[in-house]
Amino acid sequence: KAGVTQTPRYLIKTRGQQVTLSCSPISGHRSVSWYQQTPGQGLQFLFEYFSETQRNKGNFPGRFSGRQFSNSRSEMNVSTLELGDSALYLCASSFAGEETQYFGPGTRLLVL
Amino acid sequence: AQSVAQPEDQVNVAEGNPLTVKCTYSVSGNPYLFWYVQYPNRGLQFLLKYITGDNLVKGSYGFEAEFNKSQTSFHLKKPSALVSDSALYFCAVREAGTASKLTFGTGTRLQVTL
């Protein structure tokens, strides 16, 4: 089976812009979670989608949003980018959320 | 609230020697515990998990971990380290019955030298 894929792998944006990141889960997996990884804050949970519904949400401002499509692919959007949004954004999928989460390679976002 | 502590920022070990990476956790109910490894510029790679059953869990690449409920610990071990094991290791916990949200430790950098 193919693993979790994320596009793009690298992204450079400027402050105030918005960005959309994409995640395709492992075939058959219906739960997709997003995490932000930074040197200062470590790995932090953003949100989780299951069957096109947000089921869980972390402590991030409303500028961070996401959605999931009927084929379980997910996107996350960050509006009005700030310098502090520079991070590695990781997507993870699991069958229904209760099992092992398998991570993609991440999208590295640099905000200038 | 659930939490994970990895008390060591870095662990240094010589190749061929045993290694231990420490992890302690806190959850309200029964824990689901995980170890992941991250190589430079890569995502997280699953190593092993404890859900229930035997306290000694065996995982990928010769790694194992011991669940100790009384000490709320889940230390990662390997009998003989390889230089290629050098990477960043993360312990994570989720409370049983809660969907998906993993809480990660701060990570421990393992450096294996010849």
Side-chain angles (χ1 to χ4, degrees):
Chain A
K1 270 188 182 177
V4 178
T5 58
Q6 293 186 245
T7 57
R9 292 293 311 278
Y10 303 93
L11 208 47
I12 300 176
K13 293 285 188 179
T14 56
R15 277 182 301 173
Q17 288 187 310
Q18 74 164 14
V19 67
T20 299
L21 311 181
S22 181
C23 171
S24 292
I26 292 170
S27 177
H29 285 189
R30 296 165 61 195
S31 169
V32 173
S33 297
W34 289 88
Y35 294 84
Q36 182 197 63
Q37 185 178 23
T38 60
Q41 299 299 317
L43 279 154
Q44 294 186 286
F45 173 78
L46 280 155
F47 31 64
E48 184 232 356
Y49 285 86
F50 179 76
S51 292
E52 301 179 64
T53 301
Q54 187 181 88
R55 188 163 64 172
N56 228 331
K57 190 177 189 306
N59 296 322
F60 279 81
R63 300 185 297 108
F64 291 82
S65 63
R67 59 177 175 169
Q68 186 179 35
F69 302 94
S70 58
N71 62 357
S72 294
R73 189 177 69 86
S74 177
E75 290 181 346
M76 68 164 281
N77 184 276
V78 189
S79 62
T80 320
L81 283 165
E82 300 177 0
L83 295 179
D85 296 333
S86 295
L88 181 66
Y89 290 89
L90 293 164
C91 164
S93 78
S94 65
F95 181 68
E98 290 288 309
E99 306 79 15
T100 304
Q101 292 184 30
Y102 294 93
F103 284 78
T107 294
R108 186 165 295 281
L109 172 64
L110 178 61
V111 182
L112 302 175
Chain B
Q2 55 197 37
S3 66
V4 175
Q6 293 182 244
E8 302 154 317
D9 289 336
Q10 181 153 329
V11 169
N12 299 306
V13 64
E15 188 174 55
N17 283 358
L19 69 88
T20 298
V21 182
K22 296 179 181 177
C23 170
T24 58
Y25 67 90
S26 174
V27 294
S28 302
N30 293 321
Y32 287 179
L33 293 155
F34 303 82
W35 276 102
Y36 288 88
V37 60
Q38 187 176 37
Y39 294 97
N41 299 315
R42 303 282 293 276
L44 301 178
Q45 188 173 327
F46 169 72
L47 278 179
L48 51 79
K49 67 181 177 184
Y50 172 83
I51 302 296
T52 186
D54 288 342
N55 290 341
L56 185 63
V57 179
K58 293 191 181 296
S60 306
Y61 314 116
F63 284 93
E64 57 190 29
E66 187 165 11
F67 171 66
N68 187 318
K69 188 172 183 177
S70 63
Q71 298 186 0
T72 62
S73 67
F74 189 56
H75 301 330
L76 181 69
K77 301 184 181 192
K78 188 174 183 182
S80 178
L82 298 171
V83 171
S84 57
D85 293 330
S86 299
L88 189 55
Y89 289 80
F90 290 95
C91 180
V93 68
R94 179 164 59 77
E95 185 175 340
T98 63
S100 266
K101 177 186 173 181
L102 284 176
T103 298
F104 285 87
T106 51
T108 298
R109 186 163 301 281
L110 174 66
Q111 186 70 44
V112 182
T113 54
L114 290 170

